Amino acid sequence: MQLNKFIDHTNLKPTATPGDIKKLCSEAIAHQFYAICINSCYVKLAYEELKTSEIKLAAVVGFPLGAMDMNSKVFEAEQCIANGADEIDMVINIGQLKAGNIELVENEIALIKKAIGRKILKVIIETCYLSEEEKIAACECALRAKANFVKTSTGFGTSGASFDDVKLMKSVVKEELQIKASGGIKDTETAEKYIKMGVARLGTSSGISIIQ
């Protein structure tokens, strides 16, 4: 199993400096990870670092709370693509989902997908804050809005990915959407188990230790 090809090598820390992002890019190239995942302010910088490589560039939108104004999220996604991002990892509006405003949540995902066109959209549902019914509803929103992935977590919530959540998400999206497990994935055994469950991508800042 080529674990490196499943990994989004990630640095989303609020303290990440331009130097940290350059280091992330050079590590991704050295270990041939699938992608890097970074905050939107560093997309231009990372694009320059990666442009001669095959590494994909994923940027987060509405991160990490998901509570930004809808138009602001759409604009951020558009800016990321304009600056060279290949993929967008967006956080849903968690509070609106919990309030039962399903149409609003779905519409926001659909607007961002429309804004980025053929680029990949991953929808972070932040499972740690959701009931089972809400997790199902969030996955159904991503399905109807024609996203490409559902993603477990930001890594900034009260907990990250779990095997139970991935199993539940898989039961909803089946083969129609891919799944990204993210948050708390730090060792090879855990990474391999997620992949065997059908996870297509792993978001982790521990990619180097996982593959070594």
Side-chain angles (χ1 to χ4, degrees), residues 45-67:
L45 171 65
Y47 175 78
E48 288 302 318
E49 296 293 310
L50 296 175
K51 64 183 179 184
T52 58
S53 77
E54 297 295 309
I55 314 299
K56 299 294 185 188
L57 202 177
V60 294
V61 161
F63 194 88
L65 303 177

Side-chain angles (χ1 to χ4, degrees), residues 152-211:
T152 59
S153 321
T154 61
F156 287 75
T158 52
S159 62
S162 76
F163 299 123
D164 286 344
D165 282 338
V166 166
K167 192 175 174 185
L168 179 66
M169 291 160 75
K170 189 76 179 166
S171 74
V172 179
V173 303
K174 300 184 168 61
E175 303 304 317
E176 290 184 63
L177 299 185
Q178 293 182 295
I179 295 173
K180 177 175 172 180
S182 185
I185 303 166
K186 296 185 184 300
D187 62 85
T188 309
E189 186 185 355
T190 304
E192 287 179 340
K193 185 171 177 182
Y194 277 120
I195 291 162
K196 284 173 183 161
M197 290 178 74
V199 165
R201 211 82 69 78
L202 302 168
T204 179
S205 56
S206 304
I208 296 171
S209 57
I210 286 170
I211 63 169

Side-chain angles (χ1 to χ4, degrees), residues 4 6-17 20-29 31-40 42 46 50 55-61 63-64 87 89 122 124 151-156 180-186 201-210:
N4 58 320
F6 288 87
I7 289 173
D8 287 2
H9 191 40
T10 302
N11 187 341
L12 296 166
K13 292 175 183 172
T15 52
T17 64
D20 293 331
I21 300 304
K22 287 181 177 181
K23 181 171 179 271
L24 188 82
C25 292
S26 64
E27 289 170 348
I29 292 166
H31 297 284
Q32 286 300 290
F33 291 126
Y34 187 87
I36 65 159
C37 187
I38 57 171
N39 280 298
S40 60
Y42 286 129
L50 296 175
I55 314 299
K56 299 294 185 188
L57 202 177
V60 294
V61 161
F63 194 88
E87 305 182 351
D89 291 32
K122 308 190 201 94
I124 306 171
K151 176 176 168 181
T152 59
S153 321
T154 61
F156 287 75
K180 177 175 172 180
S182 185
I185 303 166
K186 296 185 184 300
R201 211 82 69 78
L202 302 168
T204 179
S205 56
S206 304
I208 296 171
S209 57
I210 286 170

